[in-house]
Amino acid sequence: MEKILQSLQSKDGTSMVEVLTAFLVIVLMITMFGKVVTLSMGILQRSQKVMENMETFNSEYYQEKNKEKQTLISGRLSLKEDWKNPSEGTVIPLSQGELKKYTDDTTGLSRYFIEVMPQTENGEGKDEMDGQ
């Protein structure tokens, strides 16, 4: 206890340099905190915009009126049984499958999907899914 009292009594006070240094450190910390908050707000706003675009895209994608926005990419699809060794894999053709692309005009986003027509009783594919 005596050592603490002696060290406190021996100091006359803090110098101007120490006060300015402490103030500078505090100002730097406040500035860095402000930059972090500003950056996080920008990232939050961008992520909200992306989420809104995805919601708009998904709501438009599942509407029947947007069938004309779907374009055929490939009418020949097949599955490969062994994709690790392509030379030995068995190819299974998908005769009823078509690779299509949907592009939304509002958001500019695209989605690729495979549309498989159900088979009729005679084994041929239907053009539309009529109420099934």
Side-chain angles (χ1 to χ4, degrees):
M1 185 73 155
E2 285 183 27
K3 289 182 180 181
I4 295 173
L5 288 174
Q6 286 176 355
S7 66
L8 289 174
Q9 289 174 355
S10 67
K11 284 192 172 183
D12 295 331
T14 56
S15 68
M16 188 65 134
V17 174
E18 291 173 341
V19 171
L20 289 174
T21 305
F23 181 72
L24 180 65
V25 168
I26 290 172
V27 168
L28 284 175
M29 289 175 59
I30 291 171
T31 304
M32 288 188 333
F33 179 73
K35 293 286 185 184
V36 166
V37 169
T38 304
L39 182 65
S40 64
M41 288 297 292
I43 291 172
L44 179 65
Q45 289 173 350
R46 280 185 278 168
S47 66
Q48 286 175 342
K49 184 178 179 182
V50 167
M51 287 173 46
E52 288 172 2
N53 281 345
M54 287 306 298
E55 287 176 4
T56 303
F57 176 77
N58 286 333
S59 67
E60 292 288 324
Y61 175 73
Y62 289 107
Q63 293 182 2
E64 281 293 318
K65 66 179 182 176
N66 290 321
K67 291 286 185 185
E68 65 271 1
K69 293 182 183 177
Q70 298 175 359
T71 56
L72 179 66
I73 303 297
S74 174
R76 295 179 150 182
L77 294 178
S78 60
L79 295 176
K80 188 162 279 274
E81 186 179 335
D82 188 4
W83 58 271
K84 289 183 181 179
N85 195 354
S87 61
E88 297 179 11
T90 305
V91 176
I92 304 168
L94 297 176
S95 60
Q96 303 299 324
E98 295 177 336
L99 179 63
K100 292 188 175 184
K101 177 182 176 184
Y102 168 77
T103 304
D104 185 36
D105 298 333
T106 309
T107 60
L109 297 173
S110 297
R111 176 177 287 163
Y112 291 90
F113 62 97
I114 297 174
E115 186 172 59
V116 178
M117 299 296 172
Q119 290 187 351
T120 60
E121 294 170 3
N122 61 3
E124 296 176 4
K126 293 183 184 178
D127 287 339
E128 294 182 13
M129 297 179 68
D130 45 352
Q132 293 183 2

